[in-house]
Amino acid sequence: MSIDMDDFIDFVRNNLGESAWVPLYKKLNKEDRSEDGSLYSCLISPEDTSDAMEKYGWDLSRGEGGPSIVTCGDKHDYEQSTTAVLPLAIYRSFHGTRE
C-alpha cells in the first residue's frame, strides 16, 4: 500500500502513541520515490531529549546504534554501541553472507 507524505505526517501527529501498540519502524513507501520518510523508535536520556526534539534531522537511522566490529588492517575492535541514542530494535545485515 502506498501512502503519501501528508498521510504519513498525519499519522505521526494524530495517531502515533494513541493505541496499545507503538510501531518501532514505519516507512513511507511511495512507489515513484517522489516522497521518502520513516519513523524509527529509540531511547534517549532525559537530559538529551530537549536538544533532540529541537533538531530537524536524524538522531538515529535503521541499522545504526547497535554493536559493531570495526576492522582496520589486522586490528579488530568491538563497539557496544555506536551512538548515545539507543535503538529499541536492532536491524542487522550480513551483507549477503546469510539469509
Coordinates of all heavy atoms in Angstrom, one line a residue:
M1 N 0.8 -1.2 0.0 CA 0.0 0.0 0.0 C 0.9 1.2 0.0 O 1.8 1.4 0.8 CB -0.9 0.0 1.2 CG -1.7 1.2 1.4 SD -2.8 1.0 2.8 CE -2.4 2.6 3.6
S2 N 0.6 2.1 -0.9 CA 1.4 3.4 -1.0 C 0.7 4.5 -0.3 O -0.5 4.7 -0.4 CB 1.6 3.7 -2.5 OG 2.3 4.9 -2.6
I3 N 1.4 5.2 0.6 CA 0.8 6.4 1.3 C 1.6 7.6 0.9 O 2.8 7.5 0.4 CB 0.8 6.2 2.8 CG1 2.2 6.1 3.4 CG2 -0.1 5.0 3.2 CD1 2.2 6.2 4.9
D4 N 1.0 8.8 1.0 CA 1.8 10.0 0.7 C 2.3 10.7 1.9 O 1.9 10.3 3.1 CB 1.0 10.9 -0.2 CG -0.2 11.5 0.4 OD1 -0.4 11.5 1.6 OD2 -1.1 12.0 -0.3
M5 N 3.1 11.7 1.8 CA 3.7 12.4 2.9 C 2.7 13.0 3.9 O 2.8 13.0 5.1 CB 4.7 13.4 2.4 CG 5.5 14.1 3.5 SD 6.5 13.0 4.5 CE 7.9 12.7 3.4
D6 N 1.6 13.5 3.3 CA 0.5 14.1 4.1 C -0.1 13.1 5.1 O -0.3 13.3 6.2 CB -0.5 14.8 3.3 CG 0.0 16.0 2.5 OD1 0.9 16.7 3.1 OD2 -0.6 16.3 1.5
D7 N -0.3 11.9 4.5 CA -0.9 10.8 5.4 C 0.1 10.4 6.4 O -0.2 10.1 7.6 CB -1.2 9.5 4.5 CG -2.4 9.8 3.6 OD1 -3.2 10.7 3.9 OD2 -2.4 9.2 2.5
F8 N 1.4 10.3 6.1 CA 2.5 9.9 7.0 C 2.6 10.9 8.1 O 2.6 10.5 9.3 CB 3.8 9.8 6.2 CG 4.9 9.1 7.0 CD1 4.9 7.8 7.1 CD2 5.9 9.9 7.6 CE1 5.9 7.1 7.8 CE2 6.9 9.3 8.3 CZ 6.9 7.9 8.4
I9 N 2.6 12.2 7.8 CA 2.7 13.3 8.8 C 1.4 13.2 9.7 O 1.5 13.4 10.9 CB 2.9 14.6 8.2 CG1 4.3 14.7 7.6 CG2 2.7 15.8 9.2 CD1 4.6 15.9 6.7
D10 N 0.3 13.0 9.1 CA -1.0 12.9 9.9 C -0.9 11.8 10.9 O -1.4 11.9 12.0 CB -2.2 12.8 8.9 CG -3.5 12.7 9.7 OD1 -3.9 13.7 10.3 OD2 -4.1 11.7 9.7
F11 N -0.4 10.7 10.5 CA -0.3 9.5 11.4 C 0.6 9.9 12.6 O 0.3 9.6 13.7 CB 0.3 8.3 10.6 CG 0.8 7.2 11.6 CD1 -0.1 6.4 12.2 CD2 2.2 7.1 11.9 CE1 0.3 5.4 13.0 CE2 2.6 6.1 12.7 CZ 1.7 5.3 13.3
V12 N 1.8 10.5 12.3 CA 2.7 10.9 13.4 C 2.1 11.9 14.3 O 2.2 11.8 15.5 CB 4.0 11.4 12.8 CG1 4.9 12.0 13.9 CG2 4.8 10.3 12.0
R13 N 1.4 12.9 13.8 CA 0.8 14.0 14.6 C -0.4 13.5 15.4 O -0.6 13.9 16.5 CB 0.4 15.2 13.7 CG 1.6 15.9 13.3 CD 1.2 17.2 12.5 NE 2.4 18.0 12.2 CZ 2.4 18.8 11.2 NH1 1.4 19.0 10.4 NH2 3.5 19.5 11.0
N14 N -1.3 12.7 14.8 CA -2.6 12.4 15.3 C -2.8 11.0 15.8 O -3.7 10.8 16.6 CB -3.7 12.8 14.3 CG -3.6 14.2 13.9 OD1 -3.5 15.1 14.8 ND2 -3.6 14.5 12.6
N15 N -2.0 10.0 15.4 CA -2.3 8.6 15.8 C -1.2 7.9 16.5 O -1.4 7.0 17.3 CB -2.6 7.8 14.5 CG -3.8 8.3 13.8 OD1 -3.7 9.0 12.8 ND2 -5.0 8.0 14.3
L16 N 0.1 8.4 16.3 CA 1.2 7.7 17.0 C 1.1 7.9 18.5 O 0.9 8.9 19.0 CB 2.5 8.4 16.5 CG 3.8 7.8 17.0 CD1 3.9 6.3 16.6 CD2 5.0 8.6 16.6
G17 N 1.1 6.7 19.2 CA 1.1 6.7 20.6 C -0.4 6.6 21.2 O -0.6 6.6 22.4
E18 N -1.4 6.6 20.3 CA -2.8 6.6 20.7 C -3.3 5.2 20.9 O -4.4 5.0 21.4 CB -3.6 7.4 19.8 CG -3.3 8.9 19.8 CD -3.5 9.5 21.1 OE1 -4.5 9.2 21.8 OE2 -2.7 10.4 21.5
S19 N -2.6 4.2 20.4 CA -3.1 2.8 20.5 C -2.2 2.0 21.5 O -1.2 2.5 22.0 CB -3.2 2.1 19.1 OG -1.9 2.0 18.6
A20 N -2.6 0.7 21.7 CA -1.9 -0.1 22.6 C -0.5 -0.5 22.1 O 0.4 -0.7 22.8 CB -2.6 -1.4 22.9
W21 N -0.4 -0.5 20.8 CA 0.9 -0.8 20.1 C 1.5 0.4 19.5 O 0.9 1.2 18.9 CB 0.7 -1.9 19.0 CG 0.2 -3.2 19.5 CD1 -1.1 -3.6 19.7 CD2 1.1 -4.2 20.0 NE1 -1.1 -4.9 20.2 CE2 0.2 -5.3 20.4 CE3 2.4 -4.4 20.1 CZ2 0.7 -6.5 21.0 CZ3 2.9 -5.6 20.7 CH2 2.1 -6.6 21.1
V22 N 2.8 0.5 19.6 CA 3.6 1.6 19.0 C 4.6 1.0 18.0 O 5.3 0.1 18.4 CB 4.4 2.4 20.1 CG1 5.3 3.5 19.5 CG2 3.4 3.0 21.1
P23 N 4.5 1.5 16.8 CA 5.4 0.9 15.8 C 6.9 1.3 16.1 O 7.1 2.4 16.4 CB 5.0 1.6 14.5 CG 4.2 2.8 14.8 CD 3.6 2.5 16.2
L24 N 7.8 0.3 16.0 CA 9.2 0.6 16.2 C 9.8 1.1 14.9 O 10.8 1.9 14.9 CB 9.9 -0.7 16.6 CG 9.5 -1.3 17.9 CD1 10.3 -2.5 18.2 CD2 9.6 -0.3 19.0
Y25 N 9.2 0.8 13.8 CA 9.7 1.2 12.5 C 8.5 1.3 11.5 O 7.7 0.5 11.4 CB 10.7 0.2 11.9 CG 11.2 0.6 10.5 CD1 12.1 1.7 10.3 CD2 10.9 -0.2 9.4 CE1 12.6 2.0 9.1 CE2 11.4 0.1 8.2 CZ 12.2 1.2 8.0 OH 12.7 1.5 6.8
K26 N 8.5 2.4 10.8 CA 7.4 2.7 9.8 C 8.0 3.4 8.7 O 8.7 4.4 8.9 CB 6.2 3.4 10.4 CG 5.1 3.6 9.5 CD 3.9 4.2 10.2 CE 2.7 4.4 9.4 NZ 2.0 3.1 9.1
K27 N 7.8 3.0 7.4 CA 8.4 3.7 6.3 C 7.3 4.2 5.3 O 6.3 3.5 5.1 CB 9.3 2.7 5.6 CG 10.0 3.3 4.4 CD 11.0 2.3 3.8 CE 11.7 3.0 2.7 NZ 12.7 2.3 2.0
L28 N 7.6 5.4 4.8 CA 6.7 5.9 3.8 C 7.3 5.2 2.5 O 8.4 5.3 2.2 CB 6.9 7.4 3.7 CG 6.3 8.1 2.5 CD1 4.8 7.9 2.4 CD2 6.7 9.6 2.5
N29 N 6.4 4.5 1.8 CA 6.8 3.8 0.6 C 6.1 4.2 -0.6 O 5.2 3.6 -1.1 CB 6.5 2.3 0.9 CG 7.2 1.4 -0.1 OD1 8.0 1.8 -0.9 ND2 6.8 0.1 -0.1
K30 N 6.5 5.4 -1.1 CA 5.9 5.9 -2.4 C 6.6 5.2 -3.6 O 7.8 5.2 -3.7 CB 6.2 7.4 -2.4 CG 5.3 8.1 -3.4 CD 4.0 8.6 -2.8 CE 3.1 9.2 -3.8 NZ 2.9 10.6 -3.6
E31 N 5.8 4.6 -4.4 CA 6.3 3.7 -5.5 C 7.2 4.5 -6.4 O 8.2 4.0 -6.9 CB 5.1 3.0 -6.2 CG 4.5 2.0 -5.4 CD 3.3 1.3 -6.1 OE1 3.2 1.4 -7.3 OE2 2.5 0.7 -5.4
D32 N 6.8 5.8 -6.7 CA 7.6 6.5 -7.7 C 8.8 7.2 -7.0 O 9.5 8.0 -7.7 CB 6.8 7.5 -8.5 CG 6.2 8.6 -7.6 OD1 6.4 8.6 -6.3 OD2 5.5 9.5 -8.1
R33 N 9.0 7.0 -5.7 CA 10.1 7.6 -4.9 C 10.1 9.1 -4.9 O 11.1 9.7 -4.7 CB 11.4 7.0 -5.4 CG 11.5 5.5 -5.2 CD 12.9 5.0 -5.6 NE 12.9 3.6 -5.4 CZ 13.9 3.0 -4.8 NH1 14.9 3.6 -4.3 NH2 13.8 1.7 -4.7
S34 N 8.9 9.7 -5.1 CA 8.9 11.2 -5.1 C 8.8 11.7 -3.7 O 9.1 12.9 -3.4 CB 7.7 11.7 -5.9 OG 6.5 11.2 -5.3
E35 N 8.5 10.8 -2.7 CA 8.5 11.2 -1.3 C 9.1 10.1 -0.5 O 8.9 8.9 -0.8 CB 7.0 11.5 -0.8 CG 6.4 12.6 -1.5 CD 4.9 12.9 -1.1 OE1 4.3 11.9 -0.6 OE2 4.5 14.0 -1.2
D36 N 9.8 10.5 0.5 CA 10.5 9.5 1.3 C 10.5 9.9 2.8 O 10.7 11.1 3.1 CB 12.0 9.4 0.9 CG 12.7 8.3 1.6 OD1 12.1 7.3 2.0 OD2 14.0 8.4 1.6
G37 N 10.2 9.0 3.7 CA 10.2 9.3 5.1 C 10.2 8.0 5.9 O 9.7 7.0 5.4
S38 N 10.5 8.0 7.2 CA 10.4 6.9 8.0 C 10.4 7.3 9.5 O 10.8 8.4 9.8 CB 11.6 5.9 7.7 OG 12.8 6.4 8.1
L39 N 10.0 6.4 10.3 CA 9.9 6.5 11.7 C 10.7 5.4 12.3 O 10.5 4.2 11.9 CB 8.4 6.4 12.2 CG 8.2 6.3 13.7 CD1 8.2 7.7 14.3 CD2 6.8 5.7 13.9
Y40 N 11.7 5.6 13.2 CA 12.5 4.6 13.8 C 12.6 4.9 15.3 O 13.2 6.0 15.6 CB 13.9 4.6 13.1 CG 14.7 3.4 13.5 CD1 14.3 2.1 13.3 CD2 16.0 3.7 14.1 CE1 15.1 1.1 13.7 CE2 16.8 2.6 14.5 CZ 16.4 1.3 14.3 OH 17.2 0.3 14.7
S41 N 12.1 4.1 16.1 CA 12.0 4.4 17.5 C 13.3 4.1 18.3 O 14.0 3.2 17.9 CB 10.9 3.5 18.2 OG 9.7 3.8 17.6
C42 N 13.6 4.9 19.3 CA 14.8 4.7 20.1 C 14.6 5.3 21.5 O 13.6 5.9 21.8 CB 16.0 5.4 19.4 SG 15.7 7.2 19.3
L43 N 15.6 5.0 22.3 CA 15.6 5.5 23.7 C 16.7 6.6 23.8 O 17.7 6.5 23.1 CB 15.9 4.4 24.7 CG 15.0 3.3 24.8 CD1 15.5 2.2 25.7 CD2 13.6 3.7 25.3
I44 N 16.4 7.7 24.5 CA 17.3 8.7 24.6 C 17.3 9.2 26.1 O 16.2 9.1 26.7 CB 17.0 9.9 23.7 CG1 18.1 11.0 23.7 CG2 15.6 10.5 23.9 CD1 18.0 12.0 22.5
S45 N 18.4 9.6 26.6 CA 18.4 10.0 28.0 C 17.6 11.3 28.2 O 17.5 12.1 27.3 CB 19.9 10.3 28.5 OG 20.4 11.4 27.8
P46 N 17.0 11.5 29.4 CA 16.2 12.7 29.7 C 16.9 14.0 29.5 O 16.3 14.9 28.9 CB 15.8 12.5 31.2 CG 15.9 11.0 31.4 CD 17.0 10.5 30.6
E47 N 18.2 14.0 29.8 CA 19.0 15.3 29.6 C 19.2 15.6 28.1 O 19.5 16.7 27.8 CB 20.3 15.3 30.4 CG 21.2 14.1 30.1 CD 21.0 12.9 31.0 OE1 20.0 12.9 31.8 OE2 21.8 12.0 30.9
D48 N 19.1 14.6 27.2 CA 19.4 14.9 25.8 C 18.1 15.1 25.0 O 18.1 15.4 23.8 CB 20.1 13.7 25.2 CG 21.6 13.6 25.7 OD1 22.1 14.7 26.1 OD2 22.1 12.5 25.7
T49 N 16.9 14.8 25.7 CA 15.6 14.9 25.0 C 15.3 16.3 24.4 O 15.0 16.4 23.2 CB 14.5 14.5 25.9 OG1 14.7 13.2 26.4 CG2 13.1 14.5 25.2
S50 N 15.5 17.3 25.1 CA 15.2 18.7 24.6 C 16.0 19.0 23.4 O 15.5 19.5 22.4 CB 15.4 19.7 25.7 OG 14.5 19.6 26.7
D51 N 17.3 18.7 23.4 CA 18.1 19.0 22.3 C 17.7 18.2 21.1 O 17.7 18.7 19.9 CB 19.6 18.7 22.7 CG 20.6 19.1 21.5 OD1 20.5 20.2 21.0 OD2 21.4 18.2 21.2
A52 N 17.4 16.9 21.2 CA 17.0 16.1 20.1 C 15.7 16.6 19.5 O 15.5 16.5 18.3 CB 16.9 14.6 20.6
M53 N 14.7 17.0 20.3 CA 13.5 17.5 19.8 C 13.6 18.8 19.1 O 12.7 19.1 18.3 CB 12.4 17.6 21.0 CG 12.1 16.3 21.6 SD 11.5 15.0 20.5 CE 9.8 15.7 20.2
E54 N 14.6 19.6 19.3 CA 14.8 20.9 18.7 C 15.4 20.7 17.3 O 15.2 21.6 16.4 CB 15.7 21.8 19.5 CG 15.1 22.0 20.9 CD 14.8 23.5 21.1 OE1 15.4 24.3 20.4 OE2 14.1 23.8 22.1
K55 N 16.1 19.6 17.0 CA 16.8 19.4 15.8 C 15.8 18.9 14.7 O 14.9 18.2 15.0 CB 17.9 18.4 15.9 CG 19.1 18.9 16.7 CD 20.2 18.0 16.6 CE 20.4 17.2 17.9 NZ 21.4 16.1 17.8
Y56 N 16.1 19.3 13.5 CA 15.4 18.8 12.3 C 16.4 17.8 11.6 O 17.3 18.3 11.0 CB 15.0 19.9 11.4 CG 14.2 19.4 10.2 CD1 12.9 19.0 10.3 CD2 14.9 19.3 9.0 CE1 12.2 18.6 9.2 CE2 14.2 18.8 7.9 CZ 12.8 18.4 8.0 OH 12.2 18.0 6.9
G57 N 16.2 16.6 11.8 CA 17.1 15.6 11.2 C 17.1 14.3 12.0 O 16.3 14.1 12.9
W58 N 18.0 13.4 11.7 CA 18.0 12.1 12.2 C 19.0 12.0 13.4 O 20.2 12.3 13.2 CB 18.5 11.1 11.1 CG 17.6 11.1 10.0 CD1 17.8 11.7 8.8 CD2 16.3 10.5 9.9 NE1 16.7 11.5 7.9 CE2 15.8 10.7 8.6 CE3 15.5 9.7 10.8 CZ2 14.5 10.2 8.2 CZ3 14.3 9.3 10.4 CH2 13.8 9.5 9.1
D59 N 18.5 11.5 14.5 CA 19.4 11.2 15.6 C 19.8 9.7 15.5 O 20.9 9.3 15.9 CB 18.7 11.3 17.0 CG 18.4 12.8 17.3 OD1 19.4 13.6 17.3 OD2 17.2 13.1 17.5
L60 N 19.0 8.9 14.8 CA 19.3 7.5 14.6 C 18.6 7.0 13.4 O 17.4 7.4 13.2 CB 18.8 6.7 15.8 CG 19.2 5.3 15.9 CD1 20.7 5.1 16.1 CD2 18.4 4.6 17.0
S61 N 19.2 6.2 12.6 CA 18.6 5.6 11.4 C 18.7 4.1 11.5 O 19.4 3.6 12.3 CB 19.4 6.0 10.1 OG 19.3 7.4 9.9
R62 N 17.8 3.4 10.8 CA 17.8 2.0 10.8 C 19.2 1.4 10.5 O 19.8 1.9 9.5 CB 16.8 1.5 9.7 CG 16.5 0.0 9.8 CD 15.6 -0.4 8.8 NE 16.3 -0.6 7.5 CZ 15.9 -1.5 6.6 NH1 14.8 -2.1 6.7 NH2 16.7 -1.6 5.5
G63 N 19.6 0.5 11.3 CA 20.9 -0.1 11.1 C 22.0 0.6 11.9 O 23.1 0.1 12.0
E64 N 21.7 1.7 12.6 CA 22.7 2.4 13.4 C 22.4 2.1 14.9 O 21.3 1.7 15.3 CB 22.6 3.9 13.2 CG 23.0 4.3 11.8 CD 22.9 5.8 11.7 OE1 22.3 6.5 12.5 OE2 23.4 6.3 10.7
G65 N 23.4 2.3 15.7 CA 23.3 2.3 17.2 C 23.5 1.0 17.8 O 23.5 0.9 19.0
G66 N 23.7 -0.1 17.1 CA 23.9 -1.4 17.6 C 25.4 -1.7 17.8 O 26.2 -0.9 17.5
P67 N 25.7 -2.9 18.3 CA 27.1 -3.2 18.5 C 27.7 -3.4 17.1 O 27.0 -3.7 16.1 CB 27.0 -4.6 19.2 CG 25.6 -5.1 19.0 CD 24.7 -3.9 18.8
S68 N 29.0 -3.3 17.1 CA 29.7 -3.3 15.8 C 31.1 -3.8 16.0 O 31.8 -3.6 17.0 CB 29.8 -1.9 15.2 OG 30.4 -1.9 14.0
I69 N 31.6 -4.5 15.0 CA 33.0 -4.9 15.0 C 33.7 -4.1 13.9 O 33.3 -4.1 12.7 CB 33.2 -6.4 14.6 CG1 32.6 -7.2 15.8 CG2 34.6 -6.8 14.4 CD1 32.5 -8.7 15.5
V70 N 34.7 -3.4 14.3 CA 35.4 -2.5 13.4 C 36.8 -3.1 13.0 O 37.5 -3.4 13.9 CB 35.6 -1.1 14.0 CG1 36.3 -0.1 13.1 CG2 34.3 -0.5 14.4
T71 N 37.0 -3.2 11.8 CA 38.3 -3.8 11.3 C 39.1 -2.8 10.6 O 38.6 -2.1 9.7 CB 38.0 -5.0 10.4 OG1 37.2 -6.0 11.0 CG2 39.3 -5.7 9.9
C72 N 40.4 -2.6 11.0 CA 41.3 -1.7 10.4 C 42.6 -2.4 10.3 O 43.3 -2.6 11.3 CB 41.4 -0.4 11.2 SG 42.5 0.8 10.4
G73 N 43.0 -2.9 9.1 CA 44.2 -3.7 8.9 C 44.0 -5.0 9.6 O 43.1 -5.7 9.5
D74 N 45.0 -5.3 10.5 CA 44.9 -6.5 11.3 C 44.3 -6.3 12.7 O 44.1 -7.2 13.5 CB 46.4 -7.0 11.6 CG 47.0 -7.6 10.3 OD1 46.2 -8.0 9.4 OD2 48.2 -7.6 10.2
K75 N 43.9 -5.1 12.9 CA 43.3 -4.7 14.2 C 41.7 -4.8 14.2 O 41.1 -4.4 13.2 CB 43.7 -3.3 14.6 CG 43.2 -2.9 16.0 CD 43.7 -1.5 16.3 CE 43.2 -1.1 17.7 NZ 43.5 0.3 18.0
H76 N 41.2 -5.5 15.2 CA 39.7 -5.6 15.3 C 39.2 -5.1 16.6 O 39.8 -5.4 17.7 CB 39.3 -7.1 15.2 CG 39.8 -7.8 14.0 ND1 39.2 -7.6 12.8 CD2 40.8 -8.7 13.8 CE1 39.9 -8.4 11.9 NE2 40.9 -9.0 12.5
D77 N 38.3 -4.2 16.6 CA 37.7 -3.6 17.8 C 36.2 -3.8 17.9 O 35.5 -3.9 16.8 CB 37.9 -2.0 17.8 CG 39.4 -1.7 18.0 OD1 40.1 -2.3 18.8 OD2 39.8 -0.7 17.3
Y78 N 35.7 -4.0 19.1 CA 34.3 -4.2 19.3 C 33.7 -3.0 20.0 O 34.3 -2.5 21.0 CB 34.1 -5.4 20.2 CG 32.6 -5.6 20.6 CD1 31.7 -6.2 19.7 CD2 32.2 -5.3 21.9 CE1 30.4 -6.3 20.1 CE2 30.9 -5.4 22.2 CZ 30.0 -6.0 21.3 OH 28.7 -6.1 21.7
E79 N 32.7 -2.4 19.4 CA 32.0 -1.3 20.0 C 30.6 -1.7 20.4 O 29.8 -2.3 19.7 CB 31.8 -0.2 18.9 CG 33.1 0.4 18.4 CD 32.9 1.5 17.4 OE1 31.7 1.6 16.9 OE2 33.8 2.2 17.0
Q80 N 30.3 -1.5 21.7 CA 29.0 -1.9 22.2 C 27.9 -1.1 21.6 O 26.8 -1.7 21.3 CB 28.9 -1.8 23.7 CG 29.8 -2.8 24.5 CD 29.6 -2.7 26.0 OE1 29.0 -1.8 26.5 NE2 30.2 -3.6 26.7
S81 N 28.1 0.1 21.4 CA 27.1 1.0 20.7 C 27.8 2.1 20.0 O 28.8 2.5 20.4 CB 26.1 1.6 21.8 OG 25.2 2.5 21.2
T82 N 27.2 2.5 18.9 CA 27.9 3.5 18.0 C 27.3 4.9 18.3 O 27.7 5.8 17.6 CB 27.8 3.1 16.6 OG1 26.4 3.0 16.2 CG2 28.6 1.9 16.2
T83 N 26.3 5.0 19.2 CA 25.7 6.3 19.5 C 25.1 6.3 20.9 O 24.9 5.2 21.5 CB 24.6 6.6 18.5 OG1 23.9 7.8 18.8 CG2 23.5 5.5 18.5
A84 N 24.9 7.5 21.4 CA 24.3 7.6 22.8 C 22.8 7.3 22.7 O 22.1 7.1 23.7 CB 24.5 8.9 23.4
V85 N 22.2 7.4 21.5 CA 20.8 7.1 21.3 C 20.7 5.6 21.0 O 21.3 5.1 20.2 CB 20.2 7.9 20.0 CG1 18.8 7.7 19.8 CG2 20.5 9.4 20.2
L86 N 19.8 5.0 21.8 CA 19.8 3.5 21.7 C 18.5 3.0 21.0 O 17.4 3.4 21.4 CB 19.8 2.9 23.1 CG 21.0 3.3 24.0 CD1 20.8 2.8 25.4 CD2 22.2 2.7 23.4
P87 N 18.7 2.2 20.0 CA 17.5 1.7 19.2 C 16.7 0.7 20.1 O 17.3 0.0 20.9 CB 18.1 1.0 18.0 CG 19.5 0.6 18.4 CD 19.9 1.7 19.4
L88 N 15.4 0.6 19.9 CA 14.6 -0.4 20.6 C 14.7 -1.7 19.9 O 14.5 -2.8 20.5 CB 13.1 0.1 20.6 CG 12.9 1.3 21.6 CD1 11.5 1.7 21.5 CD2 13.2 0.9 23.0
A89 N 15.0 -1.7 18.6 CA 15.2 -2.9 17.8 C 16.4 -2.7 17.0 O 16.6 -1.6 16.5 CB 14.0 -3.2 16.9
I90 N 17.2 -3.7 16.8 CA 18.5 -3.5 16.0 C 18.3 -4.3 14.7 O 18.0 -5.4 14.7 CB 19.7 -4.1 16.8 CG1 19.9 -3.2 18.1 CG2 20.9 -4.0 15.9 CD1 21.0 -3.8 19.0
Y91 N 18.5 -3.5 13.6 CA 18.4 -4.1 12.3 C 19.8 -4.6 12.0 O 20.8 -3.9 12.1 CB 18.0 -3.0 11.3 CG 18.1 -3.4 9.9 CD1 17.0 -4.1 9.3 CD2 19.2 -3.2 9.1 CE1 17.1 -4.5 8.0 CE2 19.3 -3.6 7.8 CZ 18.2 -4.2 7.2 OH 18.3 -4.6 5.9
R92 N 19.9 -5.9 11.6 CA 21.2 -6.5 11.3 C 21.3 -6.8 9.8 O 20.3 -7.2 9.2 CB 21.4 -7.8 12.1 CG 21.4 -7.5 13.6 CD 21.6 -8.7 14.4 NE 21.7 -10.0 13.8 CZ 22.2 -11.1 14.3 NH1 22.5 -11.1 15.6 NH2 22.3 -12.2 13.7
S93 N 22.5 -6.7 9.3 CA 22.7 -7.0 7.9 C 24.0 -7.9 7.9 O 25.0 -7.6 8.5 CB 23.0 -5.8 7.1 OG 23.4 -6.1 5.8
F94 N 23.9 -9.0 7.1 CA 25.0 -9.9 7.0 C 25.7 -9.7 5.6 O 26.5 -10.6 5.2 CB 24.5 -11.3 7.2 CG 24.1 -11.6 8.6 CD1 22.7 -11.6 8.9 CD2 25.0 -11.8 9.6 CE1 22.3 -11.8 10.2 CE2 24.6 -12.0 10.9 CZ 23.2 -12.0 11.2
H95 N 25.3 -8.7 4.9 CA 26.0 -8.3 3.6 C 26.0 -9.5 2.7 O 27.0 -9.8 2.0 CB 27.4 -7.8 3.9 CG 27.4 -6.7 4.8 ND1 26.9 -5.4 4.5 CD2 27.9 -6.6 6.1 CE1 27.1 -4.6 5.6 NE2 27.6 -5.3 6.6
G96 N 24.8 -10.2 2.6 CA 24.7 -11.3 1.7 C 25.3 -12.7 2.1 O 25.2 -13.6 1.4
T97 N 25.9 -12.7 3.3 CA 26.5 -14.0 3.7 C 25.5 -15.0 4.3 O 25.8 -16.1 4.5 CB 27.7 -13.7 4.7 OG1 27.2 -13.1 5.8 CG2 28.8 -12.9 4.1
R98 N 24.4 -14.4 4.8 CA 23.4 -15.3 5.4 C 22.0 -14.8 4.9 O 21.8 -13.7 4.6 CB 23.4 -15.2 6.9 CG 24.6 -15.8 7.5 CD 24.4 -16.0 8.9 NE 25.6 -16.5 9.5 CZ 25.9 -17.7 9.9 NH1 25.0 -18.6 9.8 NH2 27.0 -18.0 10.5
E99 N 21.0 -15.8 4.9 CA 19.6 -15.4 4.6 C 19.1 -14.6 5.8 O 19.4 -14.8 6.9 CB 18.8 -16.7 4.4 CG 19.2 -17.4 3.2 CD 18.7 -16.7 1.9 OE1 17.6 -16.1 1.9 OE2 19.4 -16.7 0.9

